[in-house]
Amino acid sequence: MLTIGTLPSLPGVTVWRIPLELPEAELPALAALLSADERARAERFRPPGAWRRFVVAHGWLRRILGAALDANPADLVFGAGPWGKPTLGGPWAAAGIQFNLSHSHELALLAVTTGRAVGVDLERLRPIPRATQLAERYFAAPERADLARMAGTAAEATTFFNCWTRKEAFVKAQGQGLAWPLDSFAVSCLPGEAARLTWCREGAAEAARWQLAELAAGDGYVGAVVVEAPADTLPPLPQTAREKPTSLAAAMAQEKESFVRALMPHSLTVAGRAAALPAVRPHLSAGLFDELRWALVARSRDLEAALRERIAAGYAAGDLGDPRWERKSGPFGDYLLPPVAEVPGGMYPIGADQPIFDAEANEWQHGHMPRHLVPVDPFAMGCFAVTNAEWACFMAAGGYEDERWWVGADALAWRRGEGTAEGPRLGARQGLSILRDSPEMLESWLDSGRIDDDGYQRWLLRLAMSTEAFDAHLTALYPGGRLTEPLAWGDRRFNRPTQPVVGVSWYEARAYCAWLAAQTGAAWRLPTEVEREAATGGPTGSSFVYGDAFDALGGNTLETHLRQTSPAGVFVAGDSLNGISDLAGNSADWTSSLWGRFGDKPDYPYPYDGSDGREDAFAGPDIARVLRGGSWDADASFARAAGRDRSLPADRGEFGGFRVVRASPTAPVLRSPMPRSAASSTSRKVVAVVQSAHRE
């Protein structure tokens, strides 16, 4: 008996699995649904099996779409896009339903979605004698490298068909046929590796516009589906029509505490927003206030809640004063004590033996090679990057005015306003150089959210400028002088209390560490890059903080479509073994380590040697420092544990923040790297213990 069912797929996409073997007696009913043109096409198939497979696949296509449209399947009209991709026609064209059909041997897959381009592909797993020759002709360089690694092994055929089906599904989703050469983009291929688009010649923005998933079609088959992302930017959690009146009602209620408490089970975030109102907050007891704050924190960390719900809860918790940060009074004013996680000392795998493909630059990066073991002393690291709420305490305490926190001649000069324009001017010059070499990148920057419409117009004007005019433009736009707040401090996309502070220079990050150390009596500082990598890759040296396969929900990267920073800790799936959050995205972290003169090849390569001068805190303003961890506006390649980025110490990008560390003599020492299986089985228990400690 024919069993039609759906497969686990991407959100908003339904993939139907259609076996093509059917008793002869049932074929006439399906054949009767086909149009005259379809029946003529079926009759051209000489082998009876081919005719049967066509009739079953297209008959069920009509039945499934007819059910979705509440229409008679036989009445459906089909058309074709400009490049021949089948579409719904006639009165059903306006319904917005997109579909794609693929079949191999005795199985078919049908992907259906609404308002989004979709492609699906299916192949029966079989030996490919000329796999290498086909790869040389059709595959991109990273894919050929993956296939070469599996050559001669039992996984060679799976690797080949993983690549083939994912590429075919992408081309079919695009709907442009050979206008998209198969070697103009790359996909992940290795067995067990999450399916994703890793590079696109059209730029990172185009790659981020698509979602890719592997399909468990059945034994002996390999399948993939690609769908257009639901939106350029993940929209905020929509407010209901009653939300604003509810908040106002809380302000007007006589029993404000009872009103807020009654609201919490129904809409926790609305309760939080109501509690933040000046007319409500003074009337809430300390007990209810803390209960509400911790409930919002718990919602922001709840994997069962949608990402947008977690983000909204994180914002609301910050507006009430997130209780994970303990407010204290020090000798230099109030400060927030950051929650920390202990990282054991021991020998940690650092770097990698394979290059990392930088999709944005379309080139391989080698600065993190080779993989090697480095001894790391125990330390404690902030569970989150330093937040705007923490930075506000530094500013309120006169952090920019007090020279004590600005250690070294270069830092003092920066605080006085000397050289503060060099970072943004250098960034603009580099951007112009990229655009003059590849003008099409400007559209990619706009589409990806790296620049807005004003920035797009500004770059168009810059492209038309002479060298002299461009220099004069930069002088007028970035006059330099003394700075007393982060670059993004006034931008609502980046300045909520629980978002990481971004747009700070290396000098500002170091000044904060010195101030926090004076406030607490503990030796707070920036991490070295190996400490940052040890906290991320852990004792097994995993590729990402959550494992070896990229996960768009493991951190806030370009693939997540937020286009801004997120509240601390909402990407719970990306927590480290030790309970540290946001190590694979959100904001890149400054480290204490030197890269060298600004360029693609580091002056301080691996293997890491902390005694060779790379930890010199006073190397000068022209020597770049290493940043780690990716960010909201960078793709997955930067989120890798081993990935090394760099900037001059005066640079202040909206992607860059920092986190703090201190020595931890009480932390355990790791005697040997933990087996990967043991690490994965204990990670959630460790995270739960750390989170519990934060609450106590």
Side-chain angles (χ1 to χ4, degrees):
M1 180 177 179
L2 181 67
T3 302
I4 301 292
T6 59
L7 300 176
S9 179
L10 293 165
V13 183
T14 302
V15 178
W16 294 84
R17 182 182 184 275
I18 307 171
L20 300 178
E21 293 183 276
L22 193 69
E24 292 289 330
E26 297 183 33
L27 290 176
L30 288 172
L33 300 177
L34 304 185
S35 68
D37 287 343
E38 288 171 325
R39 287 195 294 271
R41 286 175 58 196
E43 291 299 332
R44 288 196 290 269
F45 290 105
R46 296 296 182 185
W51 177 87
R52 169 178 49 80
R53 288 190 286 269
F54 181 94
V55 168
V56 175
H58 288 80
W60 272 104
L61 166 68
R62 285 180 168 272
R63 281 183 174 176
I64 291 169
L65 294 182
L69 294 164
D70 194 23
N72 184 341
D75 292 340
L76 295 181
V77 176
F78 293 96
W83 301 86
K85 183 179 181 181
T87 62
L88 279 165
W92 298 280
I97 288 182
Q98 304 275 336
F99 66 92
N100 197 233
L101 178 69
S102 179
H103 56 83
S104 178
H105 196 53
E106 294 295 340
L107 189 64
L109 298 180
L110 171 64
V112 182
T113 187
T114 302
R116 297 155 62 189
V118 67
V120 68
D121 195 62
L122 175 72
E123 289 287 346
R124 183 166 59 93
L125 197 59
R126 59 195 185 277
I128 302 294
R130 299 178 60 249
T132 301
Q133 293 90 327
L134 290 170
E136 286 295 327
R137 183 173 180 181
Y138 296 113
F139 290 6
E143 298 162 336
R144 294 197 298 270
D146 283 345
L147 187 62
R149 289 171 58 189
M150 297 294 109
T153 71
E156 182 179 15
T158 301
T159 302
F160 178 90
F161 282 112
N162 278 346
C163 187
W164 189 267
T165 55
R166 293 167 191 181
K167 293 175 82 68
E168 283 288 318
F170 177 72
V171 169
K172 293 170 75 176
Q174 287 280 355
Q176 296 181 19
L178 294 179
W180 275 87
L182 290 178
D183 63 354
S184 67
F185 62 96
V187 297
S188 58
C189 306
L190 297 176
E193 187 178 11
R196 67 185 183 95
L197 193 63
T198 62
W199 165 71
C200 182
R201 188 175 295 167
E202 299 296 313
E206 179 64 23
R209 198 165 69 87
W210 301 93
Q211 297 174 340
L212 171 61
E214 179 181 355
L215 296 173
D219 291 342
Y221 287 91
V222 176
V225 62
V226 171
V227 67
E228 196 173 19
D232 287 341
T233 303
L234 184 71
L237 189 67
Q239 295 187 353
T240 66
R242 294 188 298 173
E243 181 168 329
K244 189 172 182 179
T246 300
S247 296
L248 293 175
M252 299 172 61
Q254 289 188 345
E255 296 293 334
K256 294 178 174 58
E257 173 148 347
S258 298
F259 189 96
V260 171
R261 181 174 291 283
L263 188 58
M264 287 172 60
H266 303 286
S267 182
L268 190 62
T269 301
V270 175
R273 291 171 181 159
L277 294 173
V280 176
R281 170 66 187 93
H283 300 278
L284 303 182
S285 67
L288 175 63
F289 191 67
D290 282 345
E291 180 184 345
L292 177 56
R293 291 192 301 165
W294 279 114
L296 288 165
V297 169
R299 178 65 55 82
S300 78
R301 303 277 296 159
D302 183 1
L303 273 174
E304 298 300 317
L307 176 59
R308 293 188 298 174
E309 293 179 30
R310 301 201 300 269
I311 290 172
Y315 284 145
D319 292 340
L320 296 178
D322 194 309
R324 290 173 290 184
W325 287 264
E326 184 179 357
R327 181 171 288 274
K328 290 179 171 290
S329 293
F332 305 99
D334 287 352
Y335 67 95
L336 294 175
L337 186 66
V340 300
E342 306 283 352
V343 179
M347 300 295 291
Y348 281 84
I350 299 296
D353 288 328
Q354 295 81 33
I356 295 174
F357 192 72
D358 182 348
E360 184 67 24
N362 192 23
E363 63 184 16
W364 293 98
Q365 299 291 338
H366 300 84
H368 60 285
M369 300 169 66
R371 186 177 177 95
H372 56 291
L373 290 175
V374 177
V376 177
D377 291 332
F379 64 94
M381 174 175 279
C383 291
F384 314 103
V386 172
T387 63
N388 290 313
E390 294 170 273
W391 193 263
C393 293
F394 174 69
M395 292 175 61
Y400 281 96
E401 285 71 41
D402 197 330
E403 289 189 350
R404 280 176 291 186
W405 320 131
W406 304 81
V407 181
D410 297 333
L412 287 168
W414 189 94
R415 192 197 72 83
R416 291 192 300 268
E418 300 170 19
T420 55
E422 295 309 310
R425 289 177 187 174
L426 175 63
R429 290 189 179 99
Q430 291 173 330
L432 186 63
S433 176
I434 291 172
L435 292 178
R436 283 181 171 161
D437 290 340
S438 305
E440 70 279 1
M441 291 299 298
L442 184 57
E443 298 293 336
S444 172
W445 291 356
L446 179 64
D447 292 341
S448 68
R450 284 189 171 95
I451 59 174
D452 56 17
D453 291 337
D454 290 340
Y456 179 81
Q457 295 298 327
R458 182 182 299 150
W459 280 111
L460 285 177
L461 292 173
R462 288 172 173 176
L463 283 167
M465 291 178 183
S466 66
T467 301
E468 295 76 13
F470 183 61
D471 288 342
H473 162 73
L474 292 184
T475 300
L477 187 63
Y478 305 116
R482 193 157 180 269
L483 303 174
T484 57
E485 65 181 29
L487 175 68
W489 196 248
D491 190 331
R492 190 59 172 169
R493 293 181 302 157
F494 303 108
N495 66 5
R496 302 291 291 271
T498 48
Q499 287 175 294
V501 61
V502 292
V504 292
S505 68
W506 186 79
Y507 299 123
E508 290 168 281
R510 287 241 307 161
Y512 179 88
C513 292
W515 172 80
L516 185 63
Q519 290 278 58
T520 62
W524 296 100
R525 57 177 174 81
L526 294 178
T528 67
E529 65 168 317
V530 294
E531 287 174 329
R532 181 58 166 74
E533 184 170 344
T536 305
T540 61
S542 60
S543 299
F544 297 92
V545 63
Y546 39 74
D548 288 326
F550 173 72
D551 181 358
L553 293 180
N556 181 7
T557 63
L558 191 66
E559 291 84 354
T560 318
H561 291 246
L562 291 186
R563 305 297 186 255
Q564 63 183 56
T565 53
S566 52
V570 299
F571 285 86
V572 187
D575 281 1
S576 76
L577 175 70
N578 310 92
I580 304 173
S581 297
D582 299 323
L583 290 168
N586 212 19
S587 62
D589 290 340
W590 281 111
T591 73
S592 62
S593 305
L594 290 167
W595 172 274
R597 293 179 299 276
F598 197 88
D600 292 335
K601 186 176 181 180
D603 294 329
Y604 294 96
Y606 277 0
Y608 176 90
D609 180 359
S611 65
D612 65 359
R614 70 179 68 207
E615 295 300 336
D616 181 3
F618 309 105
D622 299 326
I623 308 300
R625 299 278 171 176
V626 174
L627 294 101
R628 291 295 198 117
S631 72
W632 63 273
D633 75 338
D635 63 37
S637 62
F638 290 94
R640 287 180 173 270
R644 303 175 77 198
D645 200 1
R646 68 276 184 192
S647 281
L648 294 176
D651 284 352
R652 307 169 92 221
E654 291 173 339
F655 60 86
F658 68 102
R659 65 181 70 219
V660 295
V661 301
R662 59 170 170 76
S664 182
T666 61
V669 175
L670 197 68
R671 298 302 177 188
S672 61
M674 184 184 297
R676 189 177 305 275
S677 59
S680 60
S681 65
T682 60
S683 61
R684 293 303 169 204
K685 296 178 182 178
V686 174
V687 170
V689 170
V690 172
Q691 293 170 350
S692 176
H694 293 168
R695 291 192 290 269
E696 292 175 353

PDB file of all heavy atoms in Angstrom, residues 542-567:
ATOM      1  N   SER A 542      36.758  21.452  19.821  1.00  0.00           N
ATOM      2  CA  SER A 542      35.703  21.374  18.809  1.00  0.00           C
ATOM      3  C   SER A 542      35.751  22.590  17.893  1.00  0.00           C
ATOM      4  O   SER A 542      36.271  23.652  18.252  1.00  0.00           O
ATOM      5  CB  SER A 542      34.329  21.265  19.473  1.00  0.00           C
ATOM      6  OG  SER A 542      34.069  22.389  20.279  1.00  0.00           O
ATOM      7  N   SER A 543      35.189  22.447  16.695  1.00  0.00           N
ATOM      8  CA  SER A 543      35.242  23.514  15.700  1.00  0.00           C
ATOM      9  C   SER A 543      34.443  24.730  16.137  1.00  0.00           C
ATOM     10  O   SER A 543      34.850  25.880  15.891  1.00  0.00           O
ATOM     11  CB  SER A 543      34.708  23.002  14.357  1.00  0.00           C
ATOM     12  OG  SER A 543      35.488  21.936  13.875  1.00  0.00           O
ATOM     13  N   PHE A 544      33.290  24.499  16.761  1.00  0.00           N
ATOM     14  CA  PHE A 544      32.466  25.560  17.306  1.00  0.00           C
ATOM     15  C   PHE A 544      32.238  25.260  18.785  1.00  0.00           C
ATOM     16  O   PHE A 544      32.492  24.143  19.244  1.00  0.00           O
ATOM     17  CB  PHE A 544      31.126  25.658  16.576  1.00  0.00           C
ATOM     18  CG  PHE A 544      31.240  26.000  15.120  1.00  0.00           C
ATOM     19  CD1 PHE A 544      31.313  24.989  14.160  1.00  0.00           C
ATOM     20  CD2 PHE A 544      31.292  27.314  14.699  1.00  0.00           C
ATOM     21  CE1 PHE A 544      31.434  25.293  12.809  1.00  0.00           C
ATOM     22  CE2 PHE A 544      31.407  27.636  13.352  1.00  0.00           C
ATOM     23  CZ  PHE A 544      31.484  26.626  12.409  1.00  0.00           C
ATOM     24  N   VAL A 545      31.743  26.222  19.520  1.00  0.00           N
ATOM     25  CA  VAL A 545      31.567  26.019  20.948  1.00  0.00           C
ATOM     26  C   VAL A 545      30.602  24.872  21.232  1.00  0.00           C
ATOM     27  O   VAL A 545      30.723  24.178  22.246  1.00  0.00           O
ATOM     28  CB  VAL A 545      31.085  27.330  21.622  1.00  0.00           C
ATOM     29  CG1 VAL A 545      29.731  27.758  21.102  1.00  0.00           C
ATOM     30  CG2 VAL A 545      31.066  27.199  23.135  1.00  0.00           C
ATOM     31  N   TYR A 546      29.650  24.619  20.323  1.00  0.00           N
ATOM     32  CA  TYR A 546      28.620  23.606  20.541  1.00  0.00           C
ATOM     33  C   TYR A 546      28.913  22.306  19.804  1.00  0.00           C
ATOM     34  O   TYR A 546      28.116  21.383  19.863  1.00  0.00           O
ATOM     35  CB  TYR A 546      27.263  24.151  20.096  1.00  0.00           C
ATOM     36  CG  TYR A 546      27.340  24.984  18.834  1.00  0.00           C
ATOM     37  CD1 TYR A 546      27.521  24.394  17.586  1.00  0.00           C
ATOM     38  CD2 TYR A 546      27.280  26.367  18.897  1.00  0.00           C
ATOM     39  CE1 TYR A 546      27.624  25.154  16.436  1.00  0.00           C
ATOM     40  CE2 TYR A 546      27.372  27.142  17.750  1.00  0.00           C
ATOM     41  CZ  TYR A 546      27.543  26.541  16.528  1.00  0.00           C
ATOM     42  OH  TYR A 546      27.665  27.287  15.390  1.00  0.00           O
ATOM     43  N   GLY A 547      30.016  22.196  19.102  1.00  0.00           N
ATOM     44  CA  GLY A 547      30.339  20.972  18.372  1.00  0.00           C
ATOM     45  C   GLY A 547      31.087  21.284  17.094  1.00  0.00           C
ATOM     46  O   GLY A 547      31.578  22.393  16.886  1.00  0.00           O
ATOM     47  N   ASP A 548      31.158  20.302  16.214  1.00  0.00           N
ATOM     48  CA  ASP A 548      31.943  20.466  14.991  1.00  0.00           C
ATOM     49  C   ASP A 548      31.127  20.935  13.799  1.00  0.00           C
ATOM     50  O   ASP A 548      31.683  21.261  12.758  1.00  0.00           O
ATOM     51  CB  ASP A 548      32.641  19.149  14.636  1.00  0.00           C
ATOM     52  CG  ASP A 548      33.791  18.839  15.585  1.00  0.00           C
ATOM     53  OD1 ASP A 548      34.445  19.801  16.034  1.00  0.00           O
ATOM     54  OD2 ASP A 548      34.016  17.659  15.883  1.00  0.00           O
ATOM     55  N   ALA A 549      29.806  20.945  13.905  1.00  0.00           N
ATOM     56  CA  ALA A 549      28.945  21.381  12.807  1.00  0.00           C
ATOM     57  C   ALA A 549      28.314  22.722  13.147  1.00  0.00           C
ATOM     58  O   ALA A 549      27.837  22.935  14.263  1.00  0.00           O
ATOM     59  CB  ALA A 549      27.856  20.343  12.533  1.00  0.00           C
ATOM     60  N   PHE A 550      28.301  23.640  12.183  1.00  0.00           N
ATOM     61  CA  PHE A 550      27.720  24.963  12.411  1.00  0.00           C
ATOM     62  C   PHE A 550      26.217  24.856  12.666  1.00  0.00           C
ATOM     63  O   PHE A 550      25.514  24.069  12.037  1.00  0.00           O
ATOM     64  CB  PHE A 550      27.971  25.871  11.212  1.00  0.00           C
ATOM     65  CG  PHE A 550      27.264  27.193  11.303  1.00  0.00           C
ATOM     66  CD1 PHE A 550      27.699  28.152  12.197  1.00  0.00           C
ATOM     67  CD2 PHE A 550      26.155  27.454  10.524  1.00  0.00           C
ATOM     68  CE1 PHE A 550      27.043  29.364  12.311  1.00  0.00           C
ATOM     69  CE2 PHE A 550      25.486  28.671  10.622  1.00  0.00           C
ATOM     70  CZ  PHE A 550      25.939  29.624  11.521  1.00  0.00           C
ATOM     71  N   ASP A 551      25.733  25.675  13.598  1.00  0.00           N
ATOM     72  CA  ASP A 551      24.316  25.731  13.932  1.00  0.00           C
ATOM     73  C   ASP A 551      23.922  27.198  14.012  1.00  0.00           C
ATOM     74  O   ASP A 551      24.417  27.943  14.864  1.00  0.00           O
ATOM     75  CB  ASP A 551      24.061  25.043  15.270  1.00  0.00           C
ATOM     76  CG  ASP A 551      22.591  25.050  15.681  1.00  0.00           C
ATOM     77  OD1 ASP A 551      21.760  25.626  14.944  1.00  0.00           O
ATOM     78  OD2 ASP A 551      22.269  24.489  16.747  1.00  0.00           O
ATOM     79  N   ALA A 552      23.031  27.639  13.121  1.00  0.00           N
ATOM     80  CA  ALA A 552      22.632  29.050  13.093  1.00  0.00           C
ATOM     81  C   ALA A 552      21.942  29.478  14.380  1.00  0.00           C
ATOM     82  O   ALA A 552      21.876  30.675  14.675  1.00  0.00           O
ATOM     83  CB  ALA A 552      21.711  29.313  11.897  1.00  0.00           C
ATOM     84  N   LEU A 553      21.426  28.531  15.163  1.00  0.00           N
ATOM     85  CA  LEU A 553      20.788  28.871  16.433  1.00  0.00           C
ATOM     86  C   LEU A 553      21.741  28.699  17.610  1.00  0.00           C
ATOM     87  O   LEU A 553      21.330  28.792  18.761  1.00  0.00           O
ATOM     88  CB  LEU A 553      19.536  28.022  16.640  1.00  0.00           C
ATOM     89  CG  LEU A 553      18.393  28.317  15.663  1.00  0.00           C
ATOM     90  CD1 LEU A 553      17.202  27.418  15.945  1.00  0.00           C
ATOM     91  CD2 LEU A 553      17.973  29.781  15.733  1.00  0.00           C
ATOM     92  N   GLY A 554      23.014  28.459  17.308  1.00  0.00           N
ATOM     93  CA  GLY A 554      24.012  28.363  18.363  1.00  0.00           C
ATOM     94  C   GLY A 554      24.686  29.685  18.666  1.00  0.00           C
ATOM     95  O   GLY A 554      25.491  29.770  19.601  1.00  0.00           O
ATOM     96  N   GLY A 555      24.380  30.710  17.892  1.00  0.00           N
ATOM     97  CA  GLY A 555      24.984  32.017  18.126  1.00  0.00           C
ATOM     98  C   GLY A 555      24.445  33.029  17.135  1.00  0.00           C
ATOM     99  O   GLY A 555      23.922  32.668  16.069  1.00  0.00           O
ATOM    100  N   ASN A 556      24.575  34.290  17.466  1.00  0.00           N
ATOM    101  CA  ASN A 556      24.055  35.380  16.646  1.00  0.00           C
ATOM    102  C   ASN A 556      25.080  35.745  15.579  1.00  0.00           C
ATOM    103  O   ASN A 556      26.005  36.522  15.828  1.00  0.00           O
ATOM    104  CB  ASN A 556      23.737  36.589  17.540  1.00  0.00           C
ATOM    105  CG  ASN A 556      23.156  37.757  16.760  1.00  0.00           C
ATOM    106  OD1 ASN A 556      22.865  37.655  15.567  1.00  0.00           O
ATOM    107  ND2 ASN A 556      22.996  38.877  17.439  1.00  0.00           N
ATOM    108  N   THR A 557      24.922  35.165  14.385  1.00  0.00           N
ATOM    109  CA  THR A 557      25.800  35.450  13.264  1.00  0.00           C
ATOM    110  C   THR A 557      24.968  35.956  12.089  1.00  0.00           C
ATOM    111  O   THR A 557      23.744  36.072  12.185  1.00  0.00           O
ATOM    112  CB  THR A 557      26.582  34.190  12.835  1.00  0.00           C
ATOM    113  OG1 THR A 557      25.651  33.196  12.375  1.00  0.00           O
ATOM    114  CG2 THR A 557      27.393  33.620  13.987  1.00  0.00           C
ATOM    115  N   LEU A 558      25.639  36.223  10.996  1.00  0.00           N
ATOM    116  CA  LEU A 558      24.937  36.725   9.817  1.00  0.00           C
ATOM    117  C   LEU A 558      23.818  35.783   9.397  1.00  0.00           C
ATOM    118  O   LEU A 558      22.758  36.212   8.928  1.00  0.00           O
ATOM    119  CB  LEU A 558      25.939  36.893   8.676  1.00  0.00           C
ATOM    120  CG  LEU A 558      25.480  37.648   7.430  1.00  0.00           C
ATOM    121  CD1 LEU A 558      25.222  39.109   7.764  1.00  0.00           C
ATOM    122  CD2 LEU A 558      26.536  37.546   6.334  1.00  0.00           C
ATOM    123  N   GLU A 559      24.035  34.476   9.593  1.00  0.00           N
ATOM    124  CA  GLU A 559      23.046  33.487   9.177  1.00  0.00           C
ATOM    125  C   GLU A 559      21.771  33.534  10.017  1.00  0.00           C
ATOM    126  O   GLU A 559      20.743  32.979   9.619  1.00  0.00           O
ATOM    127  CB  GLU A 559      23.652  32.080   9.262  1.00  0.00           C
ATOM    128  CG  GLU A 559      24.729  31.801   8.242  1.00  0.00           C
ATOM    129  CD  GLU A 559      26.108  32.279   8.646  1.00  0.00           C
ATOM    130  OE1 GLU A 559      26.230  32.955   9.693  1.00  0.00           O
ATOM    131  OE2 GLU A 559      27.083  31.996   7.936  1.00  0.00           O
ATOM    132  N   THR A 560      21.826  34.181  11.184  1.00  0.00           N
ATOM    133  CA  THR A 560      20.665  34.229  12.071  1.00  0.00           C
ATOM    134  C   THR A 560      19.685  35.328  11.695  1.00  0.00           C
ATOM    135  O   THR A 560      18.541  35.325  12.132  1.00  0.00           O
ATOM    136  CB  THR A 560      21.123  34.431  13.528  1.00  0.00           C
ATOM    137  OG1 THR A 560      22.269  33.609  13.790  1.00  0.00           O
ATOM    138  CG2 THR A 560      20.040  34.054  14.512  1.00  0.00           C
ATOM    139  N   HIS A 561      20.124  36.297  10.912  1.00  0.00           N
ATOM    140  CA  HIS A 561      19.256  37.352  10.371  1.00  0.00           C
ATOM    141  C   HIS A 561      18.754  38.349  11.417  1.00  0.00           C
ATOM    142  O   HIS A 561      17.753  39.020  11.182  1.00  0.00           O
ATOM    143  CB  HIS A 561      18.044  36.752   9.641  1.00  0.00           C
ATOM    144  CG  HIS A 561      18.395  36.057   8.369  1.00  0.00           C
ATOM    145  ND1 HIS A 561      18.003  36.502   7.130  1.00  0.00           N
ATOM    146  CD2 HIS A 561      19.132  34.953   8.127  1.00  0.00           C
ATOM    147  CE1 HIS A 561      18.468  35.697   6.195  1.00  0.00           C
ATOM    148  NE2 HIS A 561      19.159  34.748   6.776  1.00  0.00           N
ATOM    149  N   LEU A 562      19.435  38.496  12.551  1.00  0.00           N
ATOM    150  CA  LEU A 562      19.008  39.513  13.509  1.00  0.00           C
ATOM    151  C   LEU A 562      19.437  40.908  13.065  1.00  0.00           C
ATOM    152  O   LEU A 562      18.751  41.885  13.328  1.00  0.00           O
ATOM    153  CB  LEU A 562      19.586  39.228  14.896  1.00  0.00           C
ATOM    154  CG  LEU A 562      19.051  38.016  15.645  1.00  0.00           C
ATOM    155  CD1 LEU A 562      19.628  37.978  17.055  1.00  0.00           C
ATOM    156  CD2 LEU A 562      17.540  38.042  15.712  1.00  0.00           C
ATOM    157  N   ARG A 563      20.618  41.004  12.479  1.00  0.00           N
ATOM    158  CA  ARG A 563      21.172  42.270  11.982  1.00  0.00           C
ATOM    159  C   ARG A 563      21.441  43.263  13.107  1.00  0.00           C
ATOM    160  O   ARG A 563      21.496  44.462  12.881  1.00  0.00           O
ATOM    161  CB  ARG A 563      20.265  42.905  10.922  1.00  0.00           C
ATOM    162  CG  ARG A 563      19.948  41.992   9.741  1.00  0.00           C
ATOM    163  CD  ARG A 563      21.203  41.633   8.961  1.00  0.00           C
ATOM    164  NE  ARG A 563      20.869  40.884   7.766  1.00  0.00           N
ATOM    165  CZ  ARG A 563      21.047  39.577   7.625  1.00  0.00           C
ATOM    166  NH1 ARG A 563      21.553  38.877   8.624  1.00  0.00           N
ATOM    167  NH2 ARG A 563      20.740  38.964   6.498  1.00  0.00           N
ATOM    168  N   GLN A 564      21.628  42.778  14.304  1.00  0.00           N
ATOM    169  CA  GLN A 564      22.009  43.599  15.447  1.00  0.00           C
ATOM    170  C   GLN A 564      22.404  42.652  16.576  1.00  0.00           C
ATOM    171  O   GLN A 564      22.213  41.435  16.473  1.00  0.00           O
ATOM    172  CB  GLN A 564      20.849  44.495  15.900  1.00  0.00           C
ATOM    173  CG  GLN A 564      19.628  43.725  16.399  1.00  0.00           C
ATOM    174  CD  GLN A 564      18.484  44.648  16.770  1.00  0.00           C
ATOM    175  OE1 GLN A 564      18.036  45.453  15.968  1.00  0.00           O
ATOM    176  NE2 GLN A 564      18.020  44.551  18.007  1.00  0.00           N
ATOM    177  N   THR A 565      22.967  43.208  17.637  1.00  0.00           N
ATOM    178  CA  THR A 565      23.303  42.371  18.774  1.00  0.00           C
ATOM    179  C   THR A 565      22.030  41.914  19.487  1.00  0.00           C
ATOM    180  O   THR A 565      20.974  42.524  19.379  1.00  0.00           O
ATOM    181  CB  THR A 565      24.195  43.137  19.760  1.00  0.00           C
ATOM    182  OG1 THR A 565      23.573  44.380  20.099  1.00  0.00           O
ATOM    183  CG2 THR A 565      25.566  43.402  19.167  1.00  0.00           C
ATOM    184  N   SER A 566      22.148  40.837  20.245  1.00  0.00           N
ATOM    185  CA  SER A 566      21.021  40.276  20.987  1.00  0.00           C
ATOM    186  C   SER A 566      21.308  40.346  22.483  1.00  0.00           C
ATOM    187  O   SER A 566      22.463  40.502  22.898  1.00  0.00           O
ATOM    188  CB  SER A 566      20.784  38.820  20.565  1.00  0.00           C
ATOM    189  OG  SER A 566      21.988  38.071  20.655  1.00  0.00           O
ATOM    190  N   PRO A 567      20.278  40.232  23.324  1.00  0.00           N
ATOM    191  CA  PRO A 567      20.520  40.223  24.775  1.00  0.00           C
ATOM    192  C   PRO A 567      21.416  39.059  25.178  1.00  0.00           C
ATOM    193  O   PRO A 567      21.437  38.008  24.532  1.00  0.00           O
ATOM    194  CB  PRO A 567      19.116  40.072  25.365  1.00  0.00           C
ATOM    195  CG  PRO A 567      18.179  40.512  24.296  1.00  0.00           C
ATOM    196  CD  PRO A 567      18.841  40.154  23.004  1.00  0.00           C
TER     197      PRO A 567
END
